[in-house]
């Protein structure tokens, strides 16, 4: 039996520790700034900075992410000849103990969503991606043989990120972050990328 696999769900992972020091330094500064302006919610104790992808101190990372995103979309079969990619958001998030994120996607014309992990202490947040096909999610009533094994029966996949890891998915893929069980903060840069018609192209009629 040879299955034909269509409508697959890709997740891309890269280990990039060379950007970790600058990402941590720049993010820390923006976190200090936002903590002086916004109180931490006791139910979801998380701080999120303003977008800072235009900060020259982190341009090596932001440029590499855009380049990687272009290669991902190109490999997926998208024609980017007349398009350019840009960040719609590029924040740092710091999750204290018990903080996490509920299931969500990133719409508003975003095409790729990603995470550059800065501090991932033991027993902290895990990235969880969920089955994106609603018909399967609501019609799949058979139990999994082994929930610890990724299979066609899986409804969710867990990832334990590490410092310096970059993970990118399509923005339509639902994801969550489990609550931080560590006494140390879980910290990452969370970004969204969109595509726009190049300014020097003739207008679409």
């Amino acid at each position: 039996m040879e299955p034909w696999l269509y409508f697959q769900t890709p997740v891309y992972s890269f280990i990039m520790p060379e950007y970790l020091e600058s990402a941590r330094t720049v993010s820390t500064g923006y976190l200090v700034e936002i903590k002086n302006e916004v109180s931490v919610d006791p139910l979801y104790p998380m701080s999120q900075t303003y977008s800072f992808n235009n900060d020259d101190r982190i341009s090596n990372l932001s440029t590499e992410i855009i380049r990687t995103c272009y290669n991902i979309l190109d490999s997926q079969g998208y024609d980017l000849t007349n398009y350019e990619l840009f960040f719609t958001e590029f924040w740092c998030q710091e999750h204290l103990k018990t903080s996490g994120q509920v299931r969500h996607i990133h719409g508003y014309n975003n095409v790729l969503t990603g995470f550059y992990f800065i501090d991932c202490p033991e027993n902290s947040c895990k990235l969880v991606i969920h089955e994106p096909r609603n018909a399967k999610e609501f019609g799949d009533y058979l139990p999994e043989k082994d929930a610890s094994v990724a299979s066609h029966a899986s409804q969710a996949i867990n990832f334990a990120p590490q410092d310096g890891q970059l993970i990118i998915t399509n923005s339509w893929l639902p994801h969550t972050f489990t609550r931080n069980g560590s006494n140390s903060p879980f910290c990452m840069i969370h970004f969204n990328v969109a595509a726009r018609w190049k300014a020097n192209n003739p207008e679409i009629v």
Side-chain angles (χ1 to χ4, degrees):
M1 181 176 63
E2 181 180 353
W4 296 351
L5 302 177
Y6 302 107
F7 309 115
Q8 300 179 65
T9 304
V11 177
Y12 302 88
S13 173
F14 311 87
I15 305 301
M16 297 180 171
E18 62 270 28
Y19 304 110
L20 191 54
E21 183 177 351
S22 60
R24 184 176 286 134
T25 299
V26 175
S27 295
T28 298
Y30 285 102
L31 282 170
V32 170
E33 178 182 339
I34 201 67
K35 288 176 184 178
N36 289 330
E37 299 179 16
V38 181
S39 300
V40 174
D41 186 334
L43 185 60
Y44 282 92
M46 183 264 285
S47 294
Q48 177 172 289
T49 70
Y50 302 111
S51 288
F52 58 91
N53 54 284
N54 290 324
D55 192 315
D56 290 339
R57 297 173 297 169
I58 205 166
S59 60
N60 286 344
L61 174 59
S62 60
T63 300
E64 179 63 20
I65 289 174
I66 290 293
R67 186 192 68 82
T68 302
C69 286
Y70 185 98
N71 290 336
I72 286 173
L73 291 170
D74 181 70
S75 71
Q76 289 182 350
Y78 291 102
D79 183 359
L80 299 176
T81 303
N82 296 314
Y83 293 87
E84 60 185 3
L85 303 182
F86 67 100
F87 290 106
T88 57
E89 290 92 14
F90 190 97
W91 335 269
C92 176
Q93 293 181 349
E94 181 185 72
H95 295 268
L96 303 181
K97 188 170 185 177
T98 74
S99 178
Q101 287 185 337
V102 298
R103 177 173 173 167
H104 64 287
I105 63 170
H106 291 276
Y108 303 105
N109 295 321
N110 292 305
V111 291
L112 292 175
T113 293
F115 322 88
Y116 184 73
F117 297 100
I118 297 174
D119 291 305
C120 305
E122 187 176 356
N123 197 34
S124 63
C125 302
K126 290 183 175 61
L127 169 64
V128 184
I129 62 168
H130 299 270
E131 168 62 66
R133 296 167 296 179
N134 291 338
K136 179 180 184 299
E137 180 180 8
F138 293 111
D140 199 354
Y141 61 89
L142 291 174
E144 296 179 57
K145 288 192 294 186
D146 185 350
S148 66
V149 176
S151 71
H152 292 295
S154 299
Q155 290 285 357
I157 307 292
N158 292 269
F159 298 89
Q162 65 184 74
D163 296 3
Q165 184 177 16
L166 174 69
I167 293 181
I168 300 175
T169 71
N170 292 91
S171 294
W172 45 256
L173 182 62
H175 62 275
T176 62
F177 277 93
T178 62
R179 288 181 179 264
N180 186 6
S182 172
N183 290 321
S184 300
F186 172 83
C187 188
M188 65 177 171
I189 292 174
H190 192 355
F191 60 86
N192 290 304
V193 171
R196 62 190 169 202
W197 192 256
K198 290 181 179 178
N200 61 346
N201 284 336
E203 293 184 4
I204 301 176
V205 178

